[in-house]
């Protein structure tokens, strides 16, 4: 049957003009191979062998002829195709050449009629009906192949005489139109697991059906409209940021409610819109890029080197725009968002102040599966679940959409029931009614997939090809991509075909990502999915590769991630079809290179979550023993380690350690040994040093800069844990130089930078030289600059420039705080405490220390907390509150990791000094000397000086003045050599107060 492209009426295959409207019909084109969901029916007579024995051959032939004729007529009346007769069995397929939204129900109805017709002939039959994906057509044939066909045949064979068995998928598709009873799961030949089946008891006549229209009036949403509007008005009136999340299943009307809201907002605010891509791996900031492009901002000016920096830059941009007029940010399909993008939205919601910003997020319920705490605990956050429309509201919606179409009351009622309150279902059913001339047979489709497949199948061949080619790019696609992907004969008419799709409300124009092109968006993501899934896997593979070639010629943020995705899909489909395909190795290499490049770029931005996903995908595409796969291991293992998955990191490294390549083994060994040192300590320091020496030789021989960066990172880690600042800085500088030569800013480089800055402050490097080195560090963004400024503030305070130090510290800490790094900001109270310590203001020192401690305690943070308590204990000691000092030192010991040497040095020295205050001089000397010995194993100058001062004070109280004076001189000599002017001045004040006068 040929469908009319104008009115949809089905005509005979050889008809030249439509019998309903007279439109010329295009000649039938050869059936293209495609994937689609169909329903297969097998009907077989029972007892035909015995019948042949007892019946005259001519009579039997006539009887069987009538059976076949009736069977064919019934199948075709319900829109099916008799695929073949085999003996006395009939195989029919529903869904070829054109799908209907109710193919499964048509098949079930045909099965029931065939049983009745066969009974009238005095015969009995058994029937099996099953629904599933098959491959259809190719080279002019309509033959269907796939497991769904085999299961249908097995269901028929398992059914008793006179019974019809339907499969689980068919039952889901017709559940509102039939009565069935479950049977014991069937053990079918060729199936590894039992198959769920149901016996058909009754087909309910006049079962309801459904449809959809994309441009709908807003019906039955008044309360939701007002709630949304009130939240927006509050944001504007209170000049605050509000987060509003609109939740609901696909098609429930979320987008229409948002459209109504934006119409109501009108010109009173800026409406900025972005959407999360349906595939989102590793495309972290795509919604942000869309918003920035829409307002004419270069994404690279906002997307920073780390997520906190991007958060801060974007929030400042939106807040600045909000100074002029309210900002409405609409984020579509948030359920596909990467965690880093969710963090960005929460950052804006949590930290924006004095700015009318309305964050409107649209999501399916899957968002709450992935992020159960979304929006929880926020003062200005609202989540609204959009419920189905009531029956009366659906009737009003149908009245609006039907307009002048003649729909009888019964059809309207069936549409109302079938929609189950889902506006999308209502809209699509009415669209099908319009396309098919107003009165096609409508029955209940259980899923929107069947509905959309039917709409797509009704398209003209070339129009459908254009739609399918667009679906390869995604929900949003470009005319240029379609032109490249379409067959040569289709290209001249692409413009008119796109216009047809717009007119049929399947797509709409949208802002292109490439200025010279035209952009289009599928009306619904499900429409895109249905079009894409109809393509054979071989065709998908070819088109993904061709699209990647086209996209590679364009300038696009996160280009490598997108190219990697499309090539990854091509590789997957080719591998599924033929694991021995000779094209797979080269394709895998391309996928690997693009995904790894994207992962490296994500690491450069500080987006370690997206980076590790991309790197893992880039490695997984390669064979298990491919060296390129294991070259990625250290970075992936490090990120797993930092996220708390130590076992996963060590397991990954163990695989790399089995590689034959010395350089790869060396990389893995360096990281694994360092993790062992922190977590377990099963290797001695001498053993680690010996293994590092072997690794160094292997990496030098391989001229492996990244591996050498890992080597110096491992060396720096050892030195940092031992509080060897000068050696840490030297190793850090070596490692950073190697990483710089790779052009990659890895997580190892991030840590090296932090250790290097700290080494300048705490080590023997003179203050003046440390200041110069910090100023010379390359700027890698707002946050890196803030951290450098905080370290610089400490050195300036030591040099006596207290006011500049305070200003620099306050600014850097506020930048960190505004970026949402609350733990780091809390820990940075130690910088403020340090400056007040340098100033000699014990009250201000204590206030700054306690403010950070309270925040760290609230956050549940331990290592920073313990160090801050040790600093507070010294401040309290200098104020003479000795009992409090003892309590603080106990807590410091309890909270400190075993390898946190600095904390134990201070606890030992202060406990000893308190003993001296109480007259326990022997214990005081023992503990203070132990602290000096521990400090002298390091080159942390301030710690070495402070422990000597505390020991000198303890000895002075024991009346051992000469030795106390000697130690005091040593302490001052250390501070003077460091250039710590304020530290030396405060030390002299303390010594003067004790009666130790040093010239």
């Amino acid at each position: 049957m040929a469908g009319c492209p104008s009115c949809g009426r089905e005509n005979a295959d050889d008809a030249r003009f439509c019998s309903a409207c007279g439109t010329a019909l295009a000649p039938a084109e050869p059936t293209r191979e495609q994937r689609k969901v169909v329903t297969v029916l097998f009907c077989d007579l029972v007892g035909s062998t015995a019948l042949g024995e007892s019946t005259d051959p001519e009579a039997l032939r006539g009887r069987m002829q009538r059976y076949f004729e009736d069977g064919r007529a019934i199948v075709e009346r319900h829109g099916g195709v008799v695929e073949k007769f085999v003996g006395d069995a009939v195989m029919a397929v529903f869904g070829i050449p054109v799908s209907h939204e109710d193919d499964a129900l048509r098949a079930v109805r045909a099965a029931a009629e065939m049983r009745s017709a066969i009974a009238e002939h005095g015969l009995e039959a058994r029937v099996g009906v099953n629904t599933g994906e098959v491959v259809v057509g190719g080279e002019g044939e309509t033959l269907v192949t796939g497991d769904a066909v085999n299961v249908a045949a097995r269901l028929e064979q398992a059914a008793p005489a006179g019974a019809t068995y339907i499969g689980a998928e068919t039952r889901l598709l017709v559940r509102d139109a039939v009565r069935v009873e479950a049977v014991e799961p069937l053990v079918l030949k060729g199936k590894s697991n039992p198959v769920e089946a149901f016996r058909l008891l009754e087909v309910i006549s006049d079962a309801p059906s459904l449809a959809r229209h994309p441009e709908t009036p807003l019906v039955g949403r008044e309360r939701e409209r007002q709630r949304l509007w009130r939240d927006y008005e509050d944001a504007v009136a209170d000049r605050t940021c509000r987060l509003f999340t609109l939740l609901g299943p696909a098609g429930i009307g979320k987008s229409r409610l948002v459209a109504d809201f934006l119409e109501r907002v009108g010109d009173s605010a800026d409406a900025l819109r972005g959407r999360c891509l349906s595939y989102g791996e590793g495309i972290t900031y795509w919604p942000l890029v869309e918003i920035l492009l829409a307002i004419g901002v270069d994404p690279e000016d906002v997307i920073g080197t780390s997520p906190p920096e991007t958060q801060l830059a974007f929030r400042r941009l939106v807040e600045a725009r909000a100074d002029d007029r309210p900002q409405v940010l609409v984020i579509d399909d948030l359920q596909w968002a990467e965690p880093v993008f969710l963090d960005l939205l929460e950052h804006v919601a949590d930290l924006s102040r004095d700015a009318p910003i309305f964050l409107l997020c649209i999501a399916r319920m899957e968002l709450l599966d992935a992020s159960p705490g979304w929006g929880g605990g926020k003062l200005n956050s609202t989540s609204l679940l959009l419920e189905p429309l009531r029956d009366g509201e659906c009737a009003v919606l149908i009245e609006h959409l039907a307009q002048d179409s003649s729909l009888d009351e019964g059809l309207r009622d069936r549409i109302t029931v079938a929609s189950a309150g889902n506006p999308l279902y209502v809209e699509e059913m009415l669209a099908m009614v319009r396309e098919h001339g107003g009165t096609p047979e409508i029955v209940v489709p259980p899923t929107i997939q069947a509905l959309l497949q039917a709409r797509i199948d009704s398209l003209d061949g070339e129009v459908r090809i254009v739609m399918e080619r667009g679906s390869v790019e995604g929900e949003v696609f470009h005319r240029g991509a379609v032109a490249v992907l379409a067959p040569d004969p289709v290209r001249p008419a692409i413009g008119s075909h796109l216009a047809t799709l717009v007119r049929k409300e399947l797509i709409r124009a949208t802002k292109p990502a490439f200025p010279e092109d035209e952009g289009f968006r599928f009306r619904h993501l499900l429409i895109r999915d249905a079009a894409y899934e109809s393509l054979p896997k071989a065709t998908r593979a070819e088109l993904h590769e061709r699209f990647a070639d086209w996209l590679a010629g364009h300038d696009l943020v996160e280009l490598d991630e997108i190219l990697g995705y499309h090539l990854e899909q091509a590789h997957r489909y080719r591998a599924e079809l033929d694991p021995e395909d000779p094209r797979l190795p080269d394709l895998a290499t391309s996928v690997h290179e693009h995904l790894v490049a994207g992962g490296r770029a994500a690491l450069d931005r500080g987006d370690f979550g997206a980076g590790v996903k991309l790197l893992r995908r880039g490695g997984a595409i390669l064979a298990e023993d491919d060296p390129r796969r294991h070259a990625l291991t250290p970075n992936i293992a490090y990120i797993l380690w930092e996220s708390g998955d130590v076992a996963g990191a060590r397991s990954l490294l163990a695989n790399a350690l089995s590689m034959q390549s010395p350089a790869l083994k060396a990389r893995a060994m360096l990281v694994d040994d360092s993790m062992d040192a922190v977590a377990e300590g099963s290797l001695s320091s001498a053993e680690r040093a010996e293994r590092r020496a072997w690794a160094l030789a292997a990496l030098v021989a391989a001229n492996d800069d990244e591996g050498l960066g890992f080597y110096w990172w491992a060396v720096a880690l050892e030195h940092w844990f031992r509080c060897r600042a000068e050696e840490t800085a030297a190793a850090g500088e070596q490692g950073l130089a190697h990483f710089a030569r790779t052009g990659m800013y890895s997580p190892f480089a991030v840590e090296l930078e932090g250790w290097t800055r700290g080494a300048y402050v705490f080590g023997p490097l003179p203050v003046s030289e440390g200041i110069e080195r910090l100023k010379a560090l390359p700027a890698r963004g707002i946050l890196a600059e803030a951290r450098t400024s905080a370290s610089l503030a400490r050195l300036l305070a030591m040099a006596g420039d207290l006011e500049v130090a305070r200003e620099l510290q306050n600014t850097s800490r506020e930048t960190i705080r505004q970026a949402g790094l609350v733990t780091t900001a809390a820990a940075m109270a130690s910088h403020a405490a340090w400056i007040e310590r340098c100033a000699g203001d014990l009250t201000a020192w204590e206030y700054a220390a306690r403010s950070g401690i309270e925040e760290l305690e609230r956050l549940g943070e331990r290592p920073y907390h313990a160090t801050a308590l040790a600093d507070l204990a010294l401040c309290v000691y200098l104020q003479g509150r000795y009992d409090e000092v003892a309590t603080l030192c106990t807590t410091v010991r309890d909270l400190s990791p075993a390898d946190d040497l600095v904390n134990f040095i201070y606890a030992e020295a202060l406990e000893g000094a308190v003993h001296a205050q109480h007259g326990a001089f022997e214990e005081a000397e023992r503990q203070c000397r132990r602290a000096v010995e521990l400090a002298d194993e390091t080159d942390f100058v301030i710690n070495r000086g402070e422990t000597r001062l505390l020991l000198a004070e303890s000895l002075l109280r024991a009346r051992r003045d000469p030795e106390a004076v000697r130690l005091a001189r040593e302490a001052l000599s250390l501070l003077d050599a460091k250039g710590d002017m304020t530290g030396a001045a405060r030390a002299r004040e303390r010594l003067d107060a004790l009666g130790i006068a040093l010239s």
Side-chain angles (χ1 to χ4, degrees):
M1 302 291 283
C4 174
S6 178
C7 71
R9 172 67 62 85
E10 292 184 349
N11 297 271
D13 289 335
D14 58 354
R16 298 177 58 195
F17 299 93
C18 176
S19 60
C21 66
T23 300
L25 301 177
E29 63 173 345
T31 305
R32 293 187 302 123
E33 185 177 285
Q34 57 184 296
R35 299 176 75 94
K36 64 192 312 184
V37 174
V38 301
T39 299
V40 181
L41 179 153
F42 271 90
C43 177
D44 192 12
L45 293 181
V46 177
S48 58
T49 303
L51 182 66
E53 185 177 3
S54 61
T55 306
D56 182 83
E58 288 187 39
L60 177 62
R61 180 177 181 178
R63 204 169 175 181
M64 296 297 293
Q65 186 68 33
R66 290 191 296 274
Y67 154 62
F68 287 134
E69 289 173 355
D70 286 351
R72 181 185 294 276
I74 292 169
V75 167
E76 292 181 350
R77 184 164 62 249
H78 285 282
V81 173
V82 174
E83 185 67 51
K84 58 186 174 182
F85 294 104
V86 181
D88 53 8
V90 177
M91 173 189 169
V93 182
F94 293 79
I96 60 170
V98 176
S99 297
H100 304 88
E101 67 274 14
D102 57 345
D103 277 320
L105 185 54
R106 291 180 182 223
V108 170
R109 284 180 166 173
E113 282 194 33
M114 288 176 75
R115 278 194 324 188
S116 298
I118 291 168
E120 291 176 2
H121 291 296
L123 302 172
E124 255 191 326
R126 55 176 176 245
V127 182
V129 182
N130 188 56
T131 303
E133 188 177 41
V134 298
V135 176
V136 179
E139 299 183 1
E141 299 179 0
T142 58
L143 183 65
V144 297
T145 56
D147 188 56
V149 178
N150 300 328
V151 172
R154 299 290 183 263
L155 288 172
E156 175 266 308
Q157 293 166 8
T164 297
Y165 276 4
I166 66 174
E169 186 69 16
T170 305
R171 184 255 175 185
L172 287 174
L173 288 164
V174 301
R175 61 184 181 272
D176 295 327
V178 299
R179 285 199 311 112
V180 298
E181 66 177 9
V183 300
E184 286 294 321
L186 304 176
V187 178
L188 301 181
K189 182 180 178 181
K191 301 296 291 183
S192 56
N193 297 314
V195 173
E196 191 177 9
F198 300 84
R199 181 168 183 162
L200 180 66
L201 301 178
E202 179 187 2
V203 179
I204 302 170
S205 61
D206 296 324
S209 55
L210 61 109
R212 172 194 62 84
H213 187 283
E215 291 295 333
T216 102
L218 190 62
V219 172
R221 301 296 189 194
E222 192 57 33
R223 288 186 297 108
E224 293 89 342
R225 289 181 76 233
Q226 294 308 320
R227 187 171 178 186
L228 181 56
W229 186 253
R230 282 198 304 271
D231 268 41
Y232 169 70
E233 286 185 319
D234 288 344
V236 174
D238 299 338
R239 292 189 62 80
T240 188
C241 179
R242 295 196 66 90
L243 172 63
F244 196 105
T245 307
L246 193 59
L247 295 164
I252 201 66
K254 303 183 297 295
S255 297
R256 188 61 192 92
L257 181 58
V258 171
D260 172 80
F261 167 74
L262 293 177
E263 290 171 10
R264 194 170 180 183
V265 169
D267 295 332
S268 66
D270 287 336
L272 311 177
R273 195 158 192 166
R275 86 284 191 201
C276 303
L277 293 181
S278 60
Y279 50 82
E281 296 177 4
I283 307 176
T284 307
Y285 289 121
W286 185 263
L288 178 58
V289 170
E290 282 194 316
I291 290 172
L292 296 173
L293 291 175
I295 60 177
V297 174
D298 186 345
E300 293 185 359
D301 293 341
V302 175
I303 298 176
T305 58
S306 69
E309 183 173 350
T310 301
Q311 294 165 7
L312 179 60
F314 180 65
R315 178 165 61 80
R316 285 178 172 175
L317 172 66
V318 177
E319 287 174 342
R321 290 175 62 87
D323 283 340
D324 297 328
R325 54 198 279 121
Q327 301 294 299
V328 176
L329 275 64
V330 180
I331 308 298
D332 289 294
D333 291 321
L334 194 66
Q335 71 274 3
W336 302 116
E338 291 285 347
V340 168
F341 185 70
L342 293 178
D343 291 343
L344 182 146
L345 295 179
E346 291 197 316
H347 169 86
V348 175
D350 287 335
L351 299 180
S352 292
R353 296 292 184 272
D354 193 33
I357 301 171
F358 193 66
L359 294 176
L360 179 52
C361 299
I362 309 169
R364 300 180 193 175
M365 299 304 294
E366 292 90 329
L367 171 66
L368 299 185
D369 293 335
S371 303
W374 173 255
K378 300 186 190 311
L379 294 177
N380 292 330
S381 175
T382 301
S383 293
L384 178 62
L385 175 63
L386 216 54
E387 300 287 353
L389 297 177
R390 297 182 178 88
D391 287 353
E393 293 166 342
C394 280
V396 173
L397 178 61
I398 293 169
E399 187 67 30
H400 280 294
L401 293 175
Q403 297 177 350
D404 297 331
S405 299
S406 57
L407 296 178
D408 64 66
E409 193 62 28
L411 180 55
R412 290 171 184 263
D413 291 342
R414 292 197 298 275
I415 291 172
T416 299
V417 174
S419 70
N422 188 309
L424 174 59
Y425 280 44
V426 175
E427 296 160 14
E428 278 300 317
M429 182 163 19
L430 289 173
M432 292 293 292
V433 169
R434 289 193 298 271
E435 291 180 8
H436 287 273
T439 57
E441 181 182 4
I442 301 292
V443 290
V444 180
T447 69
I448 199 169
Q449 179 188 20
L451 185 66
L452 295 175
Q453 183 173 279
R455 287 203 68 194
I456 292 171
D457 265 9
S458 70
L459 297 173
D460 172 71
E462 289 196 358
V463 174
R464 175 171 179 165
I465 289 172
V466 167
M467 185 179 186
E468 290 170 345
R469 269 38 178 186
S471 74
V472 173
E473 181 174 358
E475 184 184 5
V476 174
F477 63 95
H478 295 80
R479 176 174 176 160
V482 174
V484 168
L485 300 181
D488 290 340
V490 177
R491 289 175 185 165
I494 282 177
S496 64
H497 295 331
L498 288 169
T500 298
L501 291 170
V502 171
R503 187 177 67 254
K504 287 180 173 287
E505 298 175 324
L506 289 166
I507 66 172
R508 64 170 181 256
T510 192
K511 185 177 179 64
F514 314 114
E516 73 283 359
D517 211 332
E518 291 181 73
F520 297 90
R521 180 192 293 270
F522 284 94
R523 285 284 180 174
H524 296 283
L525 179 60
L526 294 175
I527 297 175
R528 178 266 166 187
D529 291 345
Y532 179 77
E533 288 164 7
S534 70
L535 292 167
K537 289 184 177 181
T539 304
R540 294 182 206 173
E542 177 192 349
L543 294 177
H544 276 296
E545 288 187 69
R546 287 167 56 190
F547 174 74
D549 289 341
W550 175 81
L551 189 64
H554 293 75
D555 186 16
L556 190 65
V557 176
E558 298 180 332
L559 177 63
D560 278 307
E561 289 92 321
I562 301 175
L563 289 174
Y565 167 81
H566 284 281
L567 293 173
E568 188 179 31
Q569 298 310 301
H571 182 278
R572 176 166 70 90
Y573 291 130
R574 291 199 187 281
E576 288 176 0
L577 295 171
D578 180 9
E580 303 303 319
D581 189 329
R583 292 166 292 188
L584 288 176
D586 288 343
L587 191 54
T589 294
S590 296
V591 174
H592 170 80
E593 290 173 351
H594 284 296
L595 291 180
V596 169
R600 301 282 199 191
L603 294 181
D604 279 357
R605 297 191 302 270
D607 187 353
F608 292 168
V612 75
K613 287 180 183 178
L614 290 166
L615 292 180
R616 298 194 87 161
R617 285 167 52 202
I621 201 74
L622 302 174
E624 284 284 349
D625 59 351
D626 194 311
R628 294 171 296 174
R629 179 172 185 159
H630 295 281
L632 305 173
T633 293
N635 281 302
I636 298 173
Y638 178 89
I639 297 168
L640 292 176
W641 181 26
E642 284 292 298
S643 67
D645 186 6
V646 178
R650 300 293 298 276
S651 174
L652 197 63
L653 290 164
N655 291 333
L657 284 168
S658 66
M659 296 298 295
Q660 294 299 312
S661 164
L664 291 179
K665 182 177 289 188
R667 288 177 171 213
M669 179 185 293
L670 290 166
V671 180
D672 189 61
D673 286 359
S674 296
M675 290 185 184
D676 174 79
V678 175
E680 300 171 13
S682 62
L683 296 173
S684 68
S685 59
E687 289 173 318
R688 287 196 301 273
E690 182 179 350
R691 289 160 67 90
R692 282 199 305 274
W694 177 87
L696 176 62
L699 295 167
V700 169
N703 196 25
D704 183 352
D705 270 311
E706 186 177 10
L708 290 168
F710 297 149
Y711 169 81
W712 288 109
W713 169 85
V715 172
L717 177 66
E718 292 270 344
H719 292 321
W720 185 252
F721 281 162
R722 294 176 183 172
C723 300
R724 308 285 300 180
E726 199 165 46
E727 291 163 289
T728 299
E733 289 168 359
Q734 290 263 36
L736 289 171
H738 283 291
F739 282 126
R741 282 195 282 273
T742 70
M744 182 195 71
Y745 191 58
S746 81
F748 295 91
V750 173
E751 195 159 34
L752 282 176
E753 281 189 348
W755 292 338
T756 302
R757 285 193 296 263
Y760 296 162
V761 174
F762 296 107
L765 184 74
V767 167
S768 58
E769 189 173 343
I771 290 172
E772 292 304 315
R773 291 198 187 185
L774 284 178
K775 289 181 177 179
L777 283 178
R780 296 195 62 90
I782 298 172
L783 297 180
E785 185 177 341
R787 290 188 173 100
T788 299
S789 295
S791 297
L792 183 59
R794 285 196 180 227
L795 290 173
L796 291 173
M798 295 162 73
D801 201 348
L802 295 170
E803 288 307 313
V804 173
R806 286 190 182 100
E807 181 180 351
L808 203 57
Q809 186 279 142
N810 290 336
T811 301
S812 61
R813 188 180 182 195
E814 184 59 25
T815 298
I816 296 294
R817 187 185 301 281
Q818 287 189 14
L821 300 177
V822 291
T823 300
T824 303
M828 287 177 69
S830 64
H831 298 306
W834 179 281
I835 294 168
E836 300 310 328
R837 173 181 176 176
C838 291
D841 188 338
L842 296 179
T843 301
W845 175 3
E846 181 174 356
Y847 176 81
R850 287 193 183 278
S851 68
I853 288 167
E854 290 172 2
E855 198 167 355
L856 289 166
E857 188 172 14
R858 179 179 61 80
L859 294 168
E861 203 283 333
R862 290 174 65 90
Y864 283 139
H865 187 191
T867 302
L869 286 172
D871 180 61
L872 176 62
L874 176 60
C875 180
V876 169
Y877 172 82
L878 294 177
Q879 296 178 62
R881 288 148 44 198
Y882 304 123
D883 290 343
E884 190 175 346
V885 173
T887 301
L888 287 169
C889 286
T890 299
T891 307
V892 168
R893 289 184 183 277
D894 291 342
L895 292 178
S896 297
D899 56 3
D900 202 340
L901 187 58
V902 171
N903 292 351
F904 291 104
I905 289 173
Y906 269 93
E908 198 80 12
L910 287 169
E911 285 172 347
V914 169
H915 283 308
Q917 295 294 338
H918 293 151
F921 299 124
E922 184 176 339
E923 181 62 20
E925 182 178 359
R926 186 190 68 78
Q927 285 200 258
C928 286
R929 285 196 183 280
R930 175 59 181 158
V932 170
E933 290 170 2
L934 288 173
D936 281 351
E937 293 176 5
T938 80
D939 64 354
F940 275 31
V941 172
I942 310 303
N943 301 338
R944 295 181 66 203
E946 188 58 57
T947 55
R948 279 169 167 75
L949 289 174
L950 291 170
L951 176 57
E953 183 173 343
S954 298
L955 292 174
L956 187 66
R957 294 191 183 283
R959 301 188 183 284
R960 295 169 60 181
D961 295 14
E963 190 171 4
V965 170
R966 179 182 62 79
L967 286 164
R969 290 185 185 279
E970 288 181 10
L972 288 173
S973 177
L974 287 167
L975 296 173
D976 288 337
K978 173 70 177 176
D980 184 3
M981 297 170 55
T982 53
R986 300 294 81 80
R988 287 186 171 88
E989 290 171 2
R990 286 168 61 184
L991 294 171
D992 287 343
L994 293 171
I996 302 178
L998 298 175
S999 56

